[in-house]
């Protein structure tokens, strides 16, 4: 029996396909100022209203001249100066040159700029060491961007790379997609808020901190609905409140075998849900469905499982919902195992690991130790996942391992 035939387990790639097939991008847009545009997603192609540069300018500090003048004499008389923001204006006699600074407008008629290091200055007489090539050291109009060019495609996340480009073009406002609203809560009678004393059998709820931090890194509007006890009435109220306020509902806990009865009953009544067992470790119990028009993602209760399923399964869904058409999964690399990785075939395993470059210049990776789904300490010291394929067993020292370095969402 092949790994993908494991009874009851859906391969990760199939689960992602189903999530995406059932998700449609938001259509609402907003107009924001450029200072508020970072980390927003463009709702339309952005075209340049101007040429960049808007005039021919010098790429060097030096002298603007007519190449033909150097055919007669390698020494030219200085006729004036052109500075950035203060272009040369006036008569420019034949056989003369113009002192020019980087970024300054090239005088009409000039067809080259020779850098100052290739000249000798004697008062107003400038002697050139070499002749010039046509258009040497001149940036022509529209050399970087031409008016009408698409400079930022629709569906692009605006970052410190794109925002300065918009400023260069004089664009002060941008039409962007509305941010997805995600309501989230944890379930369980054993959970206590951080800061409260713990009773017998109780634990602190860390999952909402994980979910909020990751949702904000994914550029969503996070709506924290707190901890909901294992009570059918309160759970139903929480789902209906979440559905009325958000595009997506994310829960942690209550979807494992033996725990899901309340959740499943409520969702059968108020929406639709398909409970899955995903061939992923950690994070096998995962639920997806809809409640009153809102998408629902039910995450496992163990802390590391919450982070892994949010990262691997929910992140692509939220990217599509947000209209982020340029989104790509985190890059993967091949590294050599420095330690043994323990694994049983049957599930894709996202193990916490540390990668580095060794003394031989090789990319190597080592486990962080305890890989239990509740062991968050081994995640806090990791800088990557070692992604071990579904049908693979133990990995010995020296074998190649696929790693996924932590990207912006996990750093």
């Amino acid at each position: 029996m092949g790994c993908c035939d494991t009874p009851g387990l859906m391969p990760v790639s199939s689960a992602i396909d189903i999530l995406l097939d059932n998700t449609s991008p938001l259509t609402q847009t907003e107009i924001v100022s450029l200072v508020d545009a970072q980390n927003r997603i463009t709702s339309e192609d952005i075209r340049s209203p101007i040429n960049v540069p808007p005039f021919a300018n010098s790429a060097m500090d030096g002298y603007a001249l007519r190449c033909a003048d150097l055919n007669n004499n390698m020494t030219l008389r200085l006729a004036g100066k052109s500075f950035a923001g203060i272009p040369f204006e006036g008569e420019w006699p034949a056989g003369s040159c113009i002192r020019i600074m980087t970024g300054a407008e090239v005088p009409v008629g000039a067809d080259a700029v020779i850098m100052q290091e290739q000249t000798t200055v004697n008062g107003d007489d400038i002697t050139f060491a070499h002749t010039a090539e046509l258009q040497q050291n001149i940036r022509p109009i529209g050399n970087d961007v031409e008016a009408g060019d698409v400079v930022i495609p629709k569906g692009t996340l605006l970052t410190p790379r794109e925002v300065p480009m918009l400023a260069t073009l004089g664009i002060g406002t941008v039409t962007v997609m509305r941010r997805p609203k995600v309501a989230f809560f944890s379930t369980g009678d054993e959970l206590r808020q951080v800061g409260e004393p713990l009773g017998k059998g109780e634990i602190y709820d860390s999952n909402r901190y994980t979910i909020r931090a990751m949702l904000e890194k994914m550029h969503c509007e996070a709506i924290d609905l707190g901890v909901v006890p294992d009570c059918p009435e309160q759970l139903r109220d929480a789902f209906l409140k979440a559905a009325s306020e958000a595009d997506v509902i994310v829960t942690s806990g209550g979807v494992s075998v033996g725990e899901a009865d309340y959740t499943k009953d409520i969702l059968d009544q108020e929406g639709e849900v398909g409970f899955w067992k995903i061939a992923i470790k950690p994070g096998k119990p995962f639920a997806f469905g809809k409640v009153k028009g809102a998408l629902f993602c039910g995450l496992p209760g163990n802390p590391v499982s919450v982070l892994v399923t949010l990262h691997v399964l929910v992140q692509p869904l939220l990217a599509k919902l947000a209209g982020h058409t340029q989104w790509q999964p985190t890059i993967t690399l091949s590294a050599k195992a420095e330690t043994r990785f323990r694994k049983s075939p049957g599930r894709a395993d996202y193990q916490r690991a540390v990668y580095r470059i060794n003394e031989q210049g090789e990319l190597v990776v080592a486990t962080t130790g305890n890989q239990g789904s509740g062991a968050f300490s081994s995640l806090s010291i990791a800088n990557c996942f070692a992604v071990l394929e579904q049908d693979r067993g133990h990995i010995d020292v020296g074998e190649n391992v696929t790693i996924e370095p932590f990207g912006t969402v996990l750093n």
Side-chain angles (χ1 to χ4, degrees):
M1 178 180 290
C3 67
C4 293
D5 299 320
T6 305
L9 297 184
M10 178 181 290
V12 172
S13 60
S14 299
I16 293 174
D17 287 343
I18 292 174
L19 288 165
L20 295 180
D21 287 345
N22 286 274
T23 302
S24 298
L26 296 170
T27 58
Q28 300 94 329
T29 63
E30 302 172 346
I31 297 176
V32 298
S33 68
L34 188 59
V35 295
D36 296 322
Q38 183 158 308
N39 294 326
R40 302 303 299 269
I41 295 169
T42 57
S43 63
E44 58 190 13
D45 289 344
I46 299 179
R47 295 181 180 273
S48 176
I50 61 172
N51 291 307
V52 180
F55 50 83
N57 70 83
S58 177
M60 296 285 180
D61 292 344
Y63 297 88
L65 49 79
R66 305 176 185 94
C67 290
D69 286 340
L70 290 184
N71 294 332
N72 302 319
N73 193 341
M74 294 299 289
T75 298
L76 304 178
R77 190 76 173 167
L78 185 65
K81 299 178 181 179
S82 181
F83 293 96
I86 310 175
F88 171 79
E89 294 179 346
E91 187 178 350
W92 181 16
S96 63
C97 61
I98 304 295
R99 176 70 166 136
I100 194 167
M101 309 305 289
T102 302
E105 184 173 354
V106 174
V108 175
D111 53 19
V113 171
I114 294 181
M115 67 176 65
Q116 61 189 18
E117 291 83 358
Q118 295 177 351
T119 66
T120 300
V121 179
N122 183 12
D124 285 342
D125 291 331
I126 314 300
T127 301
F128 297 88
H130 307 283
T131 57
E133 296 180 3
L134 288 173
Q135 300 304 309
Q136 175 179 313
N137 296 323
I138 292 178
R139 303 180 184 125
I141 294 172
N143 180 54
D144 186 17
V145 178
E146 293 186 357
D149 283 353
V150 174
V151 291
I152 300 176
K154 175 182 178 180
T156 298
L157 178 70
L158 297 175
T159 73
R161 298 190 305 276
E162 290 85 11
V163 172
M165 167 63 77
L166 297 176
T168 298
L169 302 175
I171 296 174
T173 60
V174 187
T175 304
V176 296
M177 301 299 301
R178 174 175 69 77
R179 283 193 180 102
K181 297 179 180 180
V182 183
F184 61 98
F185 57 88
S186 298
T187 63
D189 292 333
E190 77 282 8
L191 299 178
R192 288 294 171 266
Q193 302 277 8
V194 172
E196 294 179 350
L198 290 177
K200 187 175 182 180
E202 295 177 340
I203 59 173
Y204 288 119
D205 174 29
S206 64
N207 289 344
R208 283 172 29 251
Y209 291 87
T210 300
I211 294 169
R212 174 183 286 279
M214 293 182 68
L215 289 177
E216 290 178 351
K217 285 291 191 78
M218 296 174 191
H219 318 300
C220 297
E221 181 180 332
I223 304 170
D224 187 352
L225 299 183
V227 175
V228 180
D230 293 323
C231 167
E233 292 77 17
Q234 293 188 52
L235 192 59
R236 176 179 284 101
D237 289 344
F239 270 111
L240 294 178
K241 178 177 174 60
S244 70
E245 297 182 3
D247 306 297
V248 181
I249 304 168
V250 173
T251 64
S252 66
V255 294
S256 297
V257 175
E259 298 177 311
D261 293 342
Y262 293 151
T263 298
K264 188 176 188 305
D265 288 345
I266 291 168
L267 292 172
D268 282 343
Q269 297 167 18
E270 305 294 347
E272 56 185 90
V273 66
F275 279 87
W276 297 338
K277 293 179 181 179
I278 308 299
I280 187 172
K281 184 178 180 180
K284 179 174 69 174
F286 182 87
F288 175 67
K290 293 182 180 179
V291 182
K292 303 292 186 183
L295 297 173
F296 165 65
C297 294
L299 313 183
N302 285 315
V304 181
S305 300
V306 166
L307 184 142
V308 170
T309 51
L310 256 178
H311 176 68
V312 177
L313 299 171
V314 182
Q315 184 177 190
L317 177 154
L318 292 175
K320 182 174 180 179
L321 183 70
H324 189 183
T325 59
Q326 310 300 311
W327 182 84
Q328 294 290 332
T330 307
I331 191 172
T332 58
L333 303 169
S334 180
K336 186 176 293 186
E338 281 195 302
T339 59
R340 194 168 192 254
F341 288 84
R342 297 178 58 83
K343 182 184 180 297
S344 298
R347 288 192 279 168
D349 199 344
Y350 286 74
Q351 296 200 13
R352 287 83 85 190
V354 175
Y355 75 93
R356 66 184 183 91
I357 304 294
N358 67 11
E359 295 75 12
Q360 290 73 43
E362 300 171 315
L363 188 64
V364 294
V365 62
T367 180
T368 56
N370 188 351
Q371 297 296 316
S373 59
F376 217 87
S377 59
S378 64
L379 181 62
S380 66
I381 61 175
N383 65 5
C384 71
F385 289 121
V387 185
L388 311 180
E389 296 82 356
Q390 187 173 334
D391 58 349
R392 200 167 182 183
H394 299 314
I395 288 84
D396 292 323
V397 174
E399 290 188 49
N400 287 332
V401 176
T402 298
I403 66 169
E404 185 179 302
F406 292 163
T408 54
V409 171
L410 295 180
N411 278 323

